[in-house]
Amino acid sequence: MAVNKCSVIVLGLLLILTGCTQSSSTDTVKKVSQKSSSSKPVLASGKILSSQKENPDIAYKVVNKKAKFYNSLRGFGKKSEIFSDYRIVGGATLGAIQKYNTTRGTIYHVVECQADGLDYSSGPEFEDDGYVRATDLARYYPIASEWSYSQKQPCYVGNPYTYRVWTAPVGTKSYVHIAHVLDRLTATQLYITKELVTSKGKHYVYLETAKRKLGWIYKTNKALIYGRYRSPAKQFLHVAKTEKMVAYKQSNKSTGNQVGYNDSLALPQRAYLVYKHKRLSRVLTMGMDNRPIVFNIKNGRVTRAIVYQYWRVPWKTITSQKKLASHFSVWHDGSENSGSDVYFYPKDQQKLLRVQTVGLDGNADIVVYRNGRTTFTTNIGKDMITFPIAKFE
């Protein structure tokens, strides 16, 4: 059959177009194939199958001495991304905030337990320790034993400034801070409702007042006196029926309403004056550190001074007439930073005596006049960091 020139030309064009289409399609298939065959690099952490938030108060300890903590999951396993290791956090109590189940095992994002003390803000700011394999950790139980009392155990404050009331015993939860101070609780009946012992052997008791719960405080005879609250005046002055006692208390405003790191700056000082036949015979002062001092007075002169420890036990008796006519100082040893400077004045002056409590953050004075007038002042160092008492009442 004869084929004309026009048919040949059309057929040729069709073959050329068909060839181009097939070639373009083949190239596209190759590109798609190449793209699908090139997968993302497999992370050392493995592919994440699932993740969930964890309770940071569930405690862990590092059990693998070769454990490594990494900055992120993406950097997991890379030397350049190592955040910490056993040498640094081996003794720390850790809490997990996130759990990742991966194709290469479980990984925890962990933080270190933190105690903020007086200077806490609105909430916890965890110390991040990075990402670590779950197999490098083991559950840790920071509380060895805990028990409650069917009847409240009465107690009251001894040393108000060395010991504080915490939201939980330090190291038993991921974040704890001081909830209350004892400055304004020195004349309050307190109760112990439960106790616990930590895995490190630290003993804590839980405190309440008659109306509210307070928190945990380290158990020691220095911090608390066990039993019903006793007014120091009733305990030490023994006022007879023929005598008259007048009590004075520093106003809360006069203390400055501030809490310090080292002193009980917000503690209202007290003074108790006993008169016999209208003559001043005995004076008891309770300084900023809550330590009682009793003065015996005869014919306008102090004849003896008895200084008590914070837990109401006689500590020093001063009878030296030279000291009682001028000045003496008493200081506790150990962790108690506070001391007392006591000054006496000649009979021709209106002032009888001055008791100054000397602390690290400030000092406070009680001045007793011969006519019975009594004044209180609390002086806080200008450069001292303090906090509002309202935050801890």
Side-chain angles (χ1 to χ4, degrees):
M1 181 177 69
V3 181
N4 59 34
K5 289 183 179 180
C6 290
S7 298
V8 172
I9 291 171
V10 170
L11 181 62
L13 288 172
L14 287 172
L15 288 172
I16 291 170
L17 290 172
T18 303
C20 291
T21 304
Q22 287 178 344
S23 175
S24 176
S25 176
T26 303
D27 290 343
T28 303
V29 171
K30 284 182 180 180
K31 288 180 181 178
V32 172
S33 177
Q34 288 173 358
K35 187 176 181 181
S36 61
S37 62
S38 61
S39 59
K40 294 180 180 180
V42 178
L43 299 177
S45 60
K47 183 180 178 182
I48 298 174
L49 302 175
S50 64
S51 67
Q52 63 188 53
K53 289 184 178 181
E54 291 288 292
N55 179 2
D57 288 338
I58 297 176
Y60 294 90
K61 287 283 189 181
V62 186
V63 292
N64 179 11
K65 292 186 176 181
K66 295 182 179 180
K68 297 290 187 295
F69 297 75
Y70 296 91
N71 287 314
S72 65
L73 284 178
R74 181 166 290 279
F76 202 91
K78 296 179 181 179
K79 287 185 178 181
S80 61
E81 291 292 314
I82 293 176
F83 180 79
S84 187
D85 57 20
Y86 180 85
R87 179 178 56 85
I88 297 173
V89 298
T93 302
L94 305 175
I97 57 175
Q98 197 78 20
K99 177 182 179 181
Y100 298 91
N101 295 310
T102 77
T103 53
R104 295 190 176 183
T106 301
I107 294 174
Y108 283 130
H109 184 188
V110 296
V111 294
E112 195 166 331
C113 287
Q114 182 182 351
D116 254 357
L118 290 169
D119 52 348
Y120 75 95
S121 54
S122 58
E125 294 181 3
F126 292 121
E127 184 176 342
D128 196 334
D129 275 335
Y131 297 77
V132 64
R133 292 197 181 280
T135 52
D136 291 336
L137 306 176
R139 275 293 305 273
Y140 170 66
Y141 298 90
I143 299 175
S145 59
E146 183 176 356
W147 62 96
S148 300
Y149 288 104
S150 56
Q151 294 184 343
K152 297 178 179 180
Q153 307 297 305
C155 64
Y156 56 100
V157 176
N159 184 328
Y161 64 88
T162 303
Y163 303 94
R164 314 291 197 180
V165 181
W166 293 78
T167 53
V170 176
T172 61
K173 287 191 174 182
S174 58
Y175 178 75
V176 300
H177 62 81
I178 292 172
H180 301 282
V181 296
L182 302 176
D183 298 30
R184 296 281 168 82
L185 297 170
T186 54
T188 303
Q189 180 66 65
L190 303 175
Y191 300 93
I192 296 171
T193 57
K194 51 187 176 181
E195 299 192 26
L196 66 77
V197 179
T198 70
S199 297
K200 294 182 178 180
K202 302 290 186 181
H203 200 149
Y204 285 82
V205 295
Y206 191 85
L207 285 184
E208 299 182 12
T209 69
K211 297 182 179 180
R212 61 187 177 124
K213 297 179 179 180
L214 296 175
W216 295 92
I217 187 171
Y218 185 70
K219 184 178 183 181
T220 168
N221 291 332
K222 294 182 179 181
L224 301 172
I225 302 169
Y226 299 93
R228 293 284 173 184
Y229 173 75
R230 298 178 68 185
S231 162
K234 291 184 178 180
Q235 185 175 358
F236 300 125
L237 293 179
H238 310 294
V239 181
K241 291 182 180 180
T242 57
E243 295 179 318
K244 178 184 177 182
M245 185 184 75
V246 181
Y248 296 91
K249 177 186 174 184
Q250 183 178 13
S251 69
N252 291 343
K253 183 179 180 180
S254 174
T255 68
N257 289 314
Q258 294 294 302
V259 173
Y261 281 109
N262 304 292
D263 305 322
S264 42
L265 297 173
L267 187 150
Q269 301 178 105
R270 289 174 169 79
Y272 304 87
L273 281 61
V274 177
Y275 294 87
K276 186 174 184 179
H277 305 306
K278 297 184 179 181
R279 290 187 176 182
L280 191 59
S281 65
R282 297 187 301 286
V283 172
L284 186 155
T285 62
M286 297 289 288
M288 182 180 73
D289 59 351
N290 202 44
R291 181 165 55 196
I293 304 178
V294 174
F295 302 92
N296 288 358
I297 302 163
K298 187 175 182 180
N299 298 324
R301 291 186 180 277
V302 177
T303 58
R304 184 176 70 170
I306 303 176
V307 182
Y308 292 83
Q309 293 177 327
Y310 302 104
W311 42 101
R312 306 284 182 92
V313 177
W315 181 49
K316 287 189 176 182
T317 299
I318 292 91
T319 57
S320 167
Q321 293 306 300
K322 182 178 180 180
K323 290 183 178 180
L324 294 175
S326 57
H327 162 263
F328 72 83
S329 296
V330 286
W331 292 82
H332 275 289
D333 297 326
S335 61
E336 289 98 15
N337 299 313
S338 191
S340 296
D341 284 329
V342 184
Y343 301 88
F344 303 96
Y345 300 90
K347 289 184 68 175
D348 60 353
Q349 293 193 21
Q350 294 183 352
K351 293 179 181 179
L352 173 65
L353 60 88
R354 175 166 67 97
V355 178
Q356 182 177 72
T357 306
V358 182
L360 294 181
D361 294 338
N363 58 65
D365 291 279
I366 303 173
V367 178
V368 178
Y369 291 77
R370 296 183 185 279
N371 63 1
R373 177 179 169 229
T374 301
T375 62
F376 305 95
T377 56
T378 298
N379 306 298
I380 303 173
K382 292 181 179 180
D383 297 328
M384 292 297 113
I385 298 174
T386 60
F387 308 90
I389 183 63
K391 189 177 179 181
F392 302 99
E393 284 189 303

